[in-house]
Every structure is written in C-alpha cells, then in structure tokens.
Amino acid sequence: MPARNMLLLAPPYPVALALTELGANLRTARLRRNLTVEEVAQKIGAGRRAVSDAERGKPTTSVAIYAALLWAFDLLADMHSLADPARDQEGQVLARSKARIRARRGEALDNDF
C-alpha cells in the first residue's frame, strides 16, 4: 500500500483556510454568473465532482482544476502574481546576503608533471 501524503490528510491550518476561502470564492463566482456545476465542469473539461471538490477547498483537488476554474470565470490574470519573485521581500533579502561579492580567482595551471 502506498504511503499516504500527510499534507493531503491534514494540511497546515493556514493552507486549509486558504483553500476553503478560494473554494468559497470560486463558488460565489459561479453563482454570480448563474452557472451550474455541470456547466462549469463541461467548460473546463472536468467532472462535476472535481468542481464540487474545488468549491469545498479539498486539498486533494488538482491545482489545474483551480486554475481552470479561475480561467472559466475570467479571473486567471490574478494567478500570475502568486509567488512573484519581485514581491518576495524575504527571498530578495536572502539572495542579496548570499550574493557573490567578486568572482573567484582562477588557479593557474602548473607545469609540474
């Protein structure tokens, strides 16, 4: 029996909360457009269950389903800013602290054979 992924069984609370909120937002977007789960599932080429699982924020739902739903509701442009390196302040500080100050001197070849 394959090992179970603990992240899928019990994700960290902030992750579970973010997925639940995203799912609720996707459901709201669908209802505002007066679309059924079946219509949205057909548009993105997935099953009803995948759309329902995404709307409930299930961590086992593929990120492709979430992205396709955002596309279906014309909200995909906002996804491009996720994990944007230009907005990663901590990463930028760490990169600057580990940046090379100067190139290493190359060692000359010796003729000692």
Side-chain angles (χ1 to χ4, degrees), residues 35-84:
L35 296 170
T36 66
V37 171
E38 291 169 348
E39 290 171 332
V40 173
Q42 187 175 17
K43 182 174 183 174
I44 66 170
R48 289 185 68 234
R49 184 174 188 130
V51 174
S52 294
D53 287 350
E55 288 185 356
R56 284 185 276 139
K58 287 186 72 175
T60 55
T61 304
S62 167
V63 70
I65 297 296
Y66 287 108
L69 288 170
L70 290 168
W71 166 79
F73 304 137
D74 200 27
L75 300 171
L76 190 61
D78 296 335
M79 192 169 180
H80 296 291
S81 65
L82 292 176
D84 182 4

Side-chain angles (χ1 to χ4, degrees), residues 1-20:
M1 181 170 189
R4 294 204 149 179
N5 186 340
M6 292 305 294
L7 179 63
L8 300 179
L9 296 175
Y13 180 72
V15 172
L17 190 62
L19 288 173
T20 302

Side-chain angles (χ1 to χ4, degrees), residues 3-4 11 13 33-34 42 57 78 84 88 96 100 102:
R4 294 204 149 179
Y13 180 72
R33 287 160 178 80
N34 201 23
Q42 187 175 17
D78 296 335
D84 182 4
D88 181 13
R96 280 193 299 267
R100 295 172 94 181
R102 64 178 191 191

